[in-house]
């Protein structure tokens, strides 16, 4: 029984939101992701943890084809969302990225006003019926990202004029404004203070009601607080995947155990 357990938890029987099989990523000659198989559930927060350079961001970028934008990156294998192959030639990566939103480690607001940063996605995807509707979408997104109170009187000012932590919340508002089905977050709180971090963690929990959230974090406390499932990566391999409580209290693999107890990483 024990031998098959890791496989059984990485590949579930319930219908997953995201399935990955035999995923490899290369940057030139560097083999950054090695044969990853995983099923990611709907209405779940999944945390990716592991030492720096183990491939967390690389694997995350496979899920919305952001690696397409890196010329030397090559992705192999099969990744599906709701059973649909996202690397199929008929899939438009721009449409895919509206459905699979992303928040990066470094805030990257567009050189536009706060309002236009958030309104950008809803505008290009035609999500608002009129100006009042768009105003509502922008306000809701900013509220969900815990930025409304600070931003409401300066919506016409440039997004780049906000503080680092505010810019990150703006990027989160921009991502949620298109109502994505999946939200990928790559260390979203690394530029935030504890109060903003707590607000974002609350938002993540709320988003789970409707979406799947995949979050990369270096904070084990954060992974334990926000996620139901945790995946531990090491040197490009997905070493262990399972219930967050189990990964943190009784991991199967000695590498996971070493990492969570602070011996590697
Ligand atoms: N654009 C790139 N060009 C070349 N190599 C890259 C690129 N991005 C990542 N790599 C390499 O791929 C491997 C995995 O990197 P990745 O950024 O996915 O790790 P990570 O787990 O997110 O690390 P960190 O916790 O430091 O963010 C590393 O060896 C890294 O040097
Ligand atoms: Mg990273």
């Amino acid at each position: 029984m024990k031998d098959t357990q890791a496989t059984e938890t990485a590949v579930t029987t319930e219908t997953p939101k995201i399935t990955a099989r035999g995923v490899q990523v290369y940057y030139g000659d560097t083999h950054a992701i090695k044969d990853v198989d995983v099923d990611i559930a709907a209405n779940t927060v999944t945390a990716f943890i592991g030492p720096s350079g183990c491939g967390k961001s690389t694997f995350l970028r496979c899920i919305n084809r952001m690696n397409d934008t890196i010329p030397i990156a090559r992705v192999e294998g099969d990744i599906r969302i709701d059973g649909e192959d996202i690397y199929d030639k008929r899939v438009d990566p721009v449409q895919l990225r509206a459905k699979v939103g992303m928040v990066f480690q470094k805030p990257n607001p567009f050189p536009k006003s706060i309002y236009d940063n958030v309104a950008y996605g809803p505008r290009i995807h035609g999500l608002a019926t009129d100006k009042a509707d768009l105003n509502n979408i922008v306000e809701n997104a900013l509220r969900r990202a815990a930025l409304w109170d600070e931003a409401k009187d300066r919506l016409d000012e440039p997004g780049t004029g906000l503080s680092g932590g505010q810019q990150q919340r703006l990027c989160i508002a921009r991502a949620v404004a298109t109502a994505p089905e999946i939200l990928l977050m790559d260390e979203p709180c690394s530029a935030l203070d504890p109060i903003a971090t707590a607000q974002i963690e609350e938002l993540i929990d709320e988003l789970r009601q409707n979406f799947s959230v995949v979050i990369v974090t270096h904070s084990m406390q954060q992974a334990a607080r926000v996620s139901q499932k945790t995946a531990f990566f090491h040197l490009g391999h997905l070493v262990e995947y399972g219930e967050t409580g189990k990964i943190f209290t009784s991991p199967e693999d000695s590498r996971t155990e070493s990492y969570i107890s602070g011996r590697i990483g």
Side-chain angles (χ1 to χ4, degrees):
M1 276 301 281
K2 205 162 179 210
D3 287 341
T4 59
Q5 202 157 5
T7 318
E8 277 173 10
T9 48
V11 178
T12 55
T13 45
E14 61 192 77
T15 309
K17 183 72 183 170
I18 307 166
T19 58
R21 292 293 179 276
V23 175
Q24 323 279 347
V25 182
Y26 300 88
Y27 296 105
D29 294 334
T30 308
H31 194 178
I33 288 292
K34 298 168 184 160
D35 208 21
V36 168
D37 289 352
V38 69
D39 285 348
I40 294 175
N43 304 112
T44 300
V45 179
T46 302
F48 287 177
I49 63 168
S52 184
C54 68
K56 303 176 298 294
S57 299
T58 299
F59 188 69
L60 197 70
R61 287 196 298 265
C62 291
I63 303 171
N64 69 347
R65 291 185 52 175
M66 278 305 286
N67 288 319
D68 290 18
T69 65
I70 302 173
I72 60 164
R74 198 170 86 243
V75 178
E76 290 174 4
D78 187 75
I79 303 179
R80 291 172 188 266
I81 294 176
D82 295 326
E84 192 197 351
D85 175 4
I86 62 166
Y87 284 83
D88 189 287
K89 292 210 163 29
R90 285 165 299 187
V91 172
D92 173 1
V94 175
Q95 292 292 337
L96 175 71
R97 290 176 201 137
K99 193 161 114 171
V100 188
M102 187 156 195
V103 176
F104 299 85
Q105 180 173 2
K106 266 192 264 150
N108 58 348
F110 301 135
K112 295 173 183 291
S113 70
I114 293 171
Y115 185 97
D116 287 341
N117 262 276
V118 185
Y120 181 83
R123 275 188 181 129
I124 63 169
H125 296 289
L127 302 182
T129 48
D130 55 22
K131 179 72 182 156
D133 191 31
L134 187 61
N135 289 346
N136 268 331
I137 292 173
V138 169
E139 177 174 339
N140 275 331
L142 286 166
R143 281 190 188 281
R144 297 182 89 179
L147 186 61
W148 176 249
D149 290 339
E150 287 149 89
K152 64 178 191 290
D153 298 323
R154 51 191 292 200
L155 293 174
D156 294 329
E157 292 175 26
T160 49
L162 294 168
S163 77
Q166 290 171 331
Q167 288 185 24
Q168 187 64 314
R169 282 176 281 151
L170 178 62
C171 293
I172 292 170
R174 185 177 66 188
V176 300
T178 58
E181 293 172 24
I182 298 169
L183 190 60
L184 309 175
M185 306 180 102
D186 196 347
E187 299 185 53
C189 301
S190 59
L192 302 185
D193 67 21
I195 293 169
T197 298
Q199 288 168 330
I200 297 310
E201 289 181 1
E202 225 172 276
L203 167 73
I204 290 170
D205 198 53
E206 183 200 315
L207 291 173
R208 177 164 73 89
Q209 312 308 318
N210 300 307
F211 315 123
S212 301
V213 180
V214 186
I215 178 173
V216 173
T217 177
H218 277 279
S219 160
M220 289 196 268
Q221 289 82 357
Q222 179 165 68
R225 280 194 300 267
V226 302
S227 73
Q228 292 76 51
K229 291 280 174 75
T230 293
F232 171 67
F233 288 81
H234 188 246
L235 299 174
H237 295 281
L238 174 53
V239 169
E240 190 164 352
Y241 177 65
E243 298 289 333
T244 296
K246 166 114 182 22
I247 297 284
F248 285 106
T249 54
S250 50
E252 303 271 329
D253 193 284
S254 58
R255 291 165 289 181
T256 317
E257 210 274 323
S258 297
Y259 181 72
I260 60 163
S261 62
R263 284 198 294 276
I264 56 172

